[in-house]
Amino acid sequence: MTQSAVVLAGGGVAGIAWEIGVLRGLQEAEPDACRRILSDDTLLVGTSAGSAVAAQVASGAALEGLFGSQVSEESAELFVHIDLAEFGAMIADALAGSTSPEEARRRLGVIARDAETVPAATRLAIIAARLPSQSWPDRPLLITAVDTATGELRVFDRDSGVDLVDAVAASCAVPGVWPTVEIDGRHYMDGGMRTIANADLAAGSGQVLILVPGPESSPAGPTISAAELDTLAPARIHTVFADADAIAAFGPNPLDPGVRRASALAGRDLGRRLAPEIVRFWR
């Protein structure tokens, strides 16, 4: 158990900006520690927004440049509206009466496939614009998605025979909002429909740093369940959740590109403040 892992959770374009901001703030405060944490030996696990960040970091692109893109007024992102209350109700309806998590996700898969969205090609172009490199890196990188027909988790890596852009697009395909992604005749949706972080994929690592662009808990319960974290035992785990300033920056619509700058700045401030405790954790 020698490998370390960084798990990057979902959270819309606000989450992408915040996670990049946290890493940039950590780098500014503790450059050597950040270099060790994001070394080529570290496993990166990305879900939804986190898949984009994981692919960006894995490409070797400088955090300074990635952060600059998030605070820039220019963006290839497309505005889309999401009502978080309605979205939560949709998920609750899928869960109600389901005999298994997979059945609930199959119900969400029907919604995802039937939704009227932008054309798939338009969405793929947006995802491609996010990535500094559209080739899989020579380092451990896992990207999650959910099969809309079976409700099962699909984990993509460089040996999957799947284009990186398709994998990231599938992981970011929020049901009812963005089009599903067809890969080898199957349709995939947001990996966050399983769990927001899919942190259990880092099992076997000695230490796991998890970034979650959201609160530690909500009225529905913990953002990451104890059962999911238990799968990582006996690893050492450190989780960074969004603070009040970041959540305010995200606003009511985390898919609005207009929140990127404020979210990135809030993430950078948090990364700077938490740098000492992250350094103490990572060894």
Side-chain angles (χ1 to χ4, degrees):
M1 188 183 299
T2 58
Q3 187 177 52
S4 300
V6 174
V7 175
L8 299 150
V13 292
I16 293 174
W18 179 82
E19 289 176 351
I20 289 293
V22 170
L23 294 174
R24 177 58 175 157
L26 173 63
Q27 182 187 52
E28 289 176 338
E30 296 284 352
D32 290 340
C34 185
R35 190 179 305 110
R36 292 194 301 273
I37 291 170
L38 298 181
S39 74
D40 288 347
D41 294 329
T42 298
L43 168 66
L44 298 176
V45 179
T47 291
S48 196
S51 73
V53 177
Q56 289 170 344
V57 170
S59 74
L63 284 174
E64 180 181 7
L66 294 175
F67 181 81
S69 295
Q70 294 303 320
V71 298
S72 171
E73 292 184 1
E74 296 183 3
S75 172
E77 300 291 341
L78 182 67
F79 174 84
V80 66
H81 175 73
I82 185 171
D83 185 307
L84 293 180
E86 291 181 359
F87 187 74
M90 179 184 74
I91 294 177
D93 287 344
L95 290 170
S98 297
T99 58
S100 69
E102 288 78 13
E103 181 184 351
R105 294 194 289 270
R106 288 195 293 271
R107 294 181 180 184
L108 291 173
V110 172
I111 294 172
R113 292 194 304 273
D114 291 347
E116 294 185 6
T117 66
V118 301
T122 299
R123 179 58 172 163
L124 286 174
I126 293 170
I127 299 298
R130 290 179 180 174
L131 306 183
S133 170
Q134 297 178 15
S135 300
W136 284 93
D138 284 329
R139 62 169 296 165
L141 169 64
L142 303 179
I143 292 176
T144 67
V146 169
D147 188 314
T148 61
T150 66
E152 296 175 344
L153 177 70
R154 173 78 185 270
V155 182
F156 299 107
D157 62 16
R158 65 175 176 265
D159 296 323
S160 299
V162 174
D163 287 345
L164 180 61
V165 172
D166 287 343
V168 174
S171 190
C172 295
V174 181
V177 177
W178 296 118
T180 60
V181 176
E182 184 176 359
I183 298 173
D184 297 331
R186 307 199 67 82
H187 287 259
Y188 294 92
M189 64 179 177
D190 197 316
M193 296 304 99
R194 179 177 181 258
T195 80
I196 193 171
N198 294 296
D200 55 305
L201 296 179
S205 300
Q207 54 191 6
V208 182
L209 175 65
I210 307 173
L211 301 189
V212 182
E216 185 171 357
S217 62
S218 69
T223 302
I224 300 182
S225 71
E228 183 173 347
L229 295 177
D230 286 346
T231 64
L232 300 176
R236 299 167 55 252
I237 305 168
H238 187 80
T239 306
V240 177
F241 294 96
D243 60 3
D245 289 342
I247 291 172
F250 298 164
N253 181 6
L255 301 184
D256 178 2
V259 306
R260 292 161 49 254
R261 177 178 174 83
S263 300
L265 292 173
R268 183 178 67 175
D269 288 345
L270 185 62
R272 287 170 171 171
R273 294 200 309 272
L274 297 184
E277 67 181 63
I278 293 174
V279 170
R280 286 194 297 271
F281 159 73
W282 194 274
R283 63 178 184 226

